[in-house]
Amino acid sequence: MRGADVVVTGVGLLTAHGFEPAALDAALAEGRAPLSPVDAPAQDLGPGVAARVDLGWESLRTLPGARPLRPATMTRYTALAVGATGLALADGVVSLDDAVLGEEGAARRGVHLGSYVNIPPIDKYVRLALALADRKRAEEGAWAAEYARFGAELKRFSGFEFLSLMNSMPSAHATIQGRCMGPIQTFIGTAAAGLQAMGGAADVLADGDADLMLAGGLGSGVNQSVLLVRNHSGHLAPPGSVSGTGGLPFDVDAPGMVPAEGAAVLVMERREAALARGAAPLARVAGWATAWGVPEAPRRPSRDPSALARAIEGAARAAGEPRIDAVFATGSGWAPLDALEWEALRQALGPQLGGARLACHTAATGFLEAAHGAVGAGLAVRVLAGRCALPPPPRPARPLPRLEEALSAAEDRPVRHALVVAAAPEGAHAALVLAVA
Amino acid sequence: MHRRVVITGVGAVSPFGASVSGLFDNLVAGRSAVSRIRSFDASTLPSGIGAEVPLDDVEVPDSVGPFRVTHRQLRFILRSAIDALEASGLPRGGDPRRRAVCVATGTGSSALDAFGPQALETVGLDQDPWTADLRPFFARVGGAGLSLAGEDFWLDTAAPAIALLAGAEQVFNVASACASGAHALHEAARMVRRGRADAVVVAAAGSVLSPVMVAGFGILRVLSRRNDAPERASRPFDADRDGFVVGEGTAAAVVEDYESARRRGAPIFAEVLGTGVSADAWRLTDPDPDGRGMALCMERALADAGIDAGQVDYVNAHATSTVQNDVAETRALQRVLGGRAPEVPVSATKSMIGHLVYAAGLVEAIVCGLTLERGVIHPTINLDRPDPACTLDYVPHVAREARVRIALSNSFGLGGQNVSLVLGRAR
């Protein structure tokens, strides 16, 4: 990174394994995810099960800074953001005392989150479309709305529902929660958005526009709209194809993505600011890059891995071309995307990945949409800080070509530099290099 | 030494049509584009007025690479981007790694038009819609049998299509509610200044002028209910204002490193001297009444530009015409401009074209650029009886000729997401 030294001082990880990192560590070691049925009426989409977060207001309100927020203003996405932000604030021991912080201190804090849509379940709008249907036109087989009847249906809605449609509401909640009056941004997108948010936050810190940033991503593949899109695009595992796992990354026979919910937020700071407040750096942000490759069709990536390879190379270059010791891969569990990612890794790091060890959290978490790369980054920080062991490599029954050789060539060396990769079916990719603090 | 950042081309599809020049001419003339909503029957909604784009369609390709360009907003934003690229003369074939696209999107429209036909086909009208079993809808729509419901929620398809047109390999979508357009321009300027890109195409779309959103904002009581006098409904800083008016539109701008733009002989529309971003960290539904977050972002933008408040010649205010926003912004401007506050002309584009929400900040930045170029400040219309708490020079009713060298443009998003831009005359 050009400019200031940017470090991570807190990690908030929220997955189907709850608030406790130890539970996620255990699940990573075993490659298992707790799956539960998808709610009606979307239960026929994809595998019909998902790795969901048990997330009620009663648990959220116990987290730092959450109490002033109102459940009525929250979607599932917002709740995920609040959860991970609270965990990060607690882990980073970030003061929320207005008397200590003051307006000037708050102005030096910001929020960058990656997210996708923020819409609540759409079944209500489907019902509204039916309720407003012009019956005469319907008899002719055509749908048209009689919007003149809309006024009578408004009693079924509250204003907050519409407010919550704004995609940036999770970030807005996080600014209130974290007493952040500094730079705010929401990066919209799928798997790469969380890493774009973290990279952007590192740039903000390097530019000197803030001392502390809460940065990360949140995602819900369980949202009805996302389920529709993923299922329609052929990304999801079919019914009955998965049991006890969040996916089979890098497996030729992988059935597809397993929808999941999650969020990760990092406390990122300028090193001198972190040290001044007595915070212990857990890792250093060394570099990041993003690249988009023209997809073959919307939501179907090109077979050409060069765009993703350029994102990886760009991040490594920005980090000063270090030897990468561990790769936290996306490993979505959807074979075409995993094949692309694998080829990009080989192209960027060499056929044996330079002896780096490969890690992937998908089997334990499912596919986390905009949180997927962010959760990888959170895990990488924990490994670099010595808080947990490197998760075991993926265990495909039928590995992608030449994967086994690379896994065999991996060297059991200390992890000093970790590469986090976020690959998305939409073609927008990102990579982040983290280093020991 | 910072890289200088300039805008070399702009485009907009607004309630005054698909011409940037036409937009500015109408603003200077003080015309309102607000009328009863024509695109759907809004007669039973609390607010049934808006500033719609008076075009059924614009000339754009029906597909770009693998992307179909069918959605109204997508066609408009693409037209804006094509106009901006043509105006800038940005050559095709540059290094794609040095180019980026940053698109401001919000949620799409209600998607009722997308859901309706499919719901009718799969569920029918024999059951009570509010208790009907929707499982067949989800099963069919989620399969390959029907076109995808709610596709217009997914405005992230705009950025890839524009990236193909611009030959860009970095793609970003950003959102910050009503500040999104300005926020995208901020992000682009920072990318260029940091050296992450030499040229960034910024674009913004995502109207809330749809049945569901007009109804929703109506319930929230943030929209004007002056349904009997639409052209007089948007009245920022007026004592009788009663909410904002929804508008429709898209905008785009090509943001470049000054040196590379100069080398290729590009026209310079305006210089982005500085940008500032802040959050209110206050409430989701209301701005901080003292405008502290608003003032902070203006101060940051001025500091970023390396100028003091005394050098600001014109302010294009966020000025939504809501009771709370206009007072908070006035207080923030008083705090930032200090003793000069009563002298600096401040005008409200939204008084004539309503609130374009996600695109508003980018359209208003373009308006600032034209103000710098033409030396005329458009008025704030409908300011008949100024709110006693709003005491600045809001250029009421009539445009004013002025030598404007530096303009400040404010955008403040719901949830307390603030962006200020400082633009300078092309040189």
Side-chain angles (χ1 to χ4, degrees):
Chain A
M1 294 284 298
R2 287 192 300 115
D5 195 1
V6 176
V7 296
V8 180
T9 56
V11 181
L13 286 175
L14 188 57
T15 66
H17 302 282
F19 286 7
E20 293 300 327
L24 176 59
D25 293 343
L28 285 163
E30 296 167 17
R32 61 173 169 78
L35 302 181
S36 57
V38 170
D39 292 336
Q43 67 269 44
D44 297 327
L45 299 175
V49 292
R52 293 194 293 191
V53 182
D54 182 9
L55 195 64
W57 174 241
E58 285 309 310
S59 56
L60 281 181
R61 68 198 292 269
T62 63
L63 295 171
R67 196 172 290 268
L69 304 175
R70 296 281 172 271
T73 62
M74 293 187 191
T75 62
R76 193 76 183 161
Y77 290 88
T78 315
L80 290 165
V82 169
T85 299
L87 293 170
L89 290 167
D91 189 50
V93 199
V94 177
S95 172
L96 300 178
D97 185 341
D98 289 327
V100 174
L101 190 60
E103 204 173 301
E104 272 186 35
R108 300 293 300 165
R109 287 184 182 177
V111 171
H112 271 202
L113 293 181
S115 182
Y116 203 18
V117 290
N118 185 41
I119 51 180
I122 59 168
D123 51 354
K124 195 168 183 180
Y125 297 94
V126 176
R127 294 182 191 287
L128 180 62
L130 287 170
L132 297 180
D134 179 331
R135 289 190 169 264
K136 196 171 171 190
R137 295 290 309 279
E139 282 170 14
E140 297 162 3
W143 180 87
E146 282 188 290
Y147 284 117
R149 289 195 278 117
F150 199 173
E153 301 290 355
L154 287 181
K155 61 182 183 297
R156 299 179 186 276
F157 295 85
S158 88
F160 287 126
E161 286 180 63
F162 301 104
L163 177 68
S164 68
L165 288 168
M166 298 277 178
N167 288 1
S168 56
M169 285 298 126
S171 300
H173 278 76
T175 62
I176 297 169
Q177 186 180 7
R179 310 288 191 277
C180 302
M181 292 182 71
I184 176 175
Q185 186 59 284
T186 302
F187 293 80
I188 303 297
T190 55
L195 285 194
Q196 286 184 337
M198 288 177 173
D203 284 348
V204 166
L205 292 163
D207 287 350
D209 289 340
D211 292 330
L212 183 151
M213 295 291 292
L214 301 171
L218 51 124
S220 173
V222 189
N223 179 284
Q224 289 174 354
S225 295
V226 178
L227 277 170
L228 278 174
V229 166
R230 290 272 174 248
N231 195 69
H232 180 85
S233 306
H235 299 159
L236 297 180
S241 61
V242 292
S243 172
T245 178
L248 301 176
F250 301 110
D251 194 321
V252 173
D253 299 322
M257 296 175 183
V258 176
E261 292 180 316
V265 172
L266 304 182
V267 180
M268 295 168 61
E269 304 188 60
R270 294 163 66 88
R271 184 187 290 269
E272 64 268 28
L275 296 177
R277 73 175 184 92
L282 304 173
R284 181 171 61 83
V285 181
W288 78 284
T290 187
W292 172 78
V294 186
E296 275 188 1
R299 306 190 194 284
R300 180 162 283 273
S302 159
R303 287 177 202 157
D304 176 3
S306 56
L308 177 52
R310 281 196 292 277
I312 295 168
E313 290 159 357
R317 197 163 42 248
E321 308 279 7
R323 184 176 70 165
I324 299 296
D325 303 306
V327 175
F328 289 76
T330 306
S332 68
W334 182 50
L337 184 60
D338 289 2
L340 176 92
E341 184 181 14
W342 174 234
E343 286 307 315
L345 282 167
R346 284 167 42 81
Q347 192 171 310
L349 300 180
Q352 308 295 323
L353 308 188
R357 287 185 281 171
L358 188 66
C360 178
H361 59 77
T362 307
T365 62
F367 186 68
L368 297 166
E369 300 295 340
H372 205 81
V375 166
L379 290 169
V381 170
R382 297 190 75 245
V383 169
L384 288 161
R387 288 180 167 187
C388 65
L390 185 69
R395 307 175 180 106
R398 199 152 76 89
L400 289 167
R402 295 175 290 279
L403 177 65
E404 272 186 306
E405 294 94 305
L407 294 177
S408 305
E411 296 169 12
D412 186 16
R413 61 192 190 225
V415 180
R416 300 190 59 78
H417 287 92
L419 168 72
V420 185
V421 178
E426 288 72 21
H429 313 298
L432 176 74
V433 175
L434 294 159
V436 287
Chain B
M1 184 70 181
H2 282 154
R3 299 218 298 176
R4 285 174 65 188
V5 180
V6 291
I7 298 171
T8 55
V10 295
V13 175
S14 80
F16 287 121
S19 152
V20 164
S21 185
L23 164 67
F24 195 69
D25 291 344
N26 278 287
L27 293 173
V28 169
R31 295 193 185 102
S32 171
V34 182
S35 65
R36 298 283 308 183
I37 290 174
R38 291 181 286 259
S39 54
F40 61 92
D41 183 348
S43 60
T44 61
L45 300 181
S47 174
I49 55 179
E52 293 168 296
V53 171
L55 304 170
D56 293 330
D57 198 7
V58 288
E59 193 178 328
V60 288
D62 290 331
S63 63
V64 177
F67 304 103
R68 287 184 306 134
V69 185
T70 51
H71 189 273
R72 178 177 167 87
Q73 291 293 317
L74 193 52
R75 293 182 73 78
F76 286 172
I77 195 173
L78 218 59
R79 181 70 257 163
S80 299
I82 290 169
D83 286 346
L85 283 164
E86 285 178 357
S88 80
L90 189 70
R92 299 288 300 260
D95 181 351
R97 291 171 299 180
R98 303 297 304 161
R99 288 192 185 173
V101 169
C102 187
V103 172
T105 60
T107 180
S109 64
S110 66
L112 289 187
D113 290 346
F115 295 154
Q118 298 163 354
L120 184 67
E121 186 178 336
T122 55
V123 181
L125 297 177
D126 294 337
Q127 310 168 69
D128 176 352
W130 295 103
T131 57
D133 179 9
L134 296 186
R135 201 167 165 175
F137 171 87
F138 280 89
R140 284 289 304 280
V141 174
L146 295 167
S147 64
L148 193 56
E151 187 66 44
D152 61 353
F153 272 123
W154 309 90
L155 287 173
D156 59 339
T157 49
I162 296 170
L164 278 172
L165 292 173
E169 190 174 274
Q170 299 183 66
V171 171
F172 299 87
N173 289 282
V174 297
S176 52
C178 319
S180 301
H183 220 151
L185 185 55
H186 156 83
E187 212 59 56
R190 290 304 168 103
M191 271 187 258
V192 170
R193 192 193 285 181
R194 285 174 190 134
R196 283 201 176 274
D198 296 327
V200 185
V201 181
V202 186
S207 170
V208 299
L209 216 158
S210 68
V212 164
M213 295 307 284
V214 171
F217 281 121
I219 297 174
L220 275 171
R221 306 188 74 86
V222 294
L223 295 186
S224 170
R225 299 187 176 199
R226 205 178 287 261
N227 294 323
D228 52 347
E231 70 285 353
R232 301 183 58 74
S234 184
R235 39 198 318 116
F237 308 112
D238 187 84
D240 298 321
R241 68 193 183 281
D242 68 336
F244 75 85
V245 172
V246 289
E248 181 185 29
T250 61
V254 177
V255 176
E256 291 188 65
D257 162 50
Y258 169 73
E259 288 300 333
S260 10
R262 193 181 56 84
R263 272 198 301 274
R264 71 175 184 82
I268 308 293
F269 174 74
E271 180 165 1
V272 184
L273 296 171
T275 65
V277 179
S278 74
D280 277 7
W282 178 255
R283 282 187 199 138
L284 288 164
T285 48
D286 311 306
D288 175 350
D290 291 329
R292 283 174 296 190
M294 295 175 178
L296 176 63
C297 90
M298 286 187 252
E299 287 161 356
R300 288 187 153 197
L302 294 171
D304 189 47
I307 63 172
D308 63 48
Q311 294 171 265
V312 174
D313 299 313
Y314 165 63
V315 178
N316 187 295
H318 184 58
T320 54
S321 184
T322 58
V323 172
Q324 291 163 310
N325 177 86
D326 294 356
V327 173
E329 184 170 13
T330 296
R331 286 180 183 150
L333 281 165
Q334 287 166 334
R335 179 167 157 174
V336 172
L337 298 174
R340 276 193 75 232
E343 304 162 18
V344 180
V346 178
S347 68
T349 305
K350 293 183 184 75
S351 66
M352 289 170 275
I353 61 171
H355 194 341
L356 305 192
V357 188
Y358 311 108
L362 190 51
V363 168
E364 290 162 14
I366 291 170
V367 168
C368 282
L370 290 162
T371 304
L372 295 161
E373 181 181 286
R374 298 198 190 174
V376 56
I377 295 170
H378 76 63
T380 301
I381 67 165
N382 298 322
L383 183 49
D384 300 329
R385 199 165 67 87
D387 182 332
C390 299
T391 55
L392 306 179
D393 172 8
Y394 302 110
V395 195
H397 304 299
V398 181
R400 189 183 299 167
E401 288 189 4
R403 185 157 183 261
V404 179
R405 288 156 301 188
I406 292 177
L408 174 68
S409 182
N410 287 335
S411 296
F412 306 133
L414 203 63
Q417 307 168 83
N418 311 311
V419 182
S420 292
L421 307 169
V422 179
L423 301 177
R425 194 183 287 180
R427 62 192 165 87

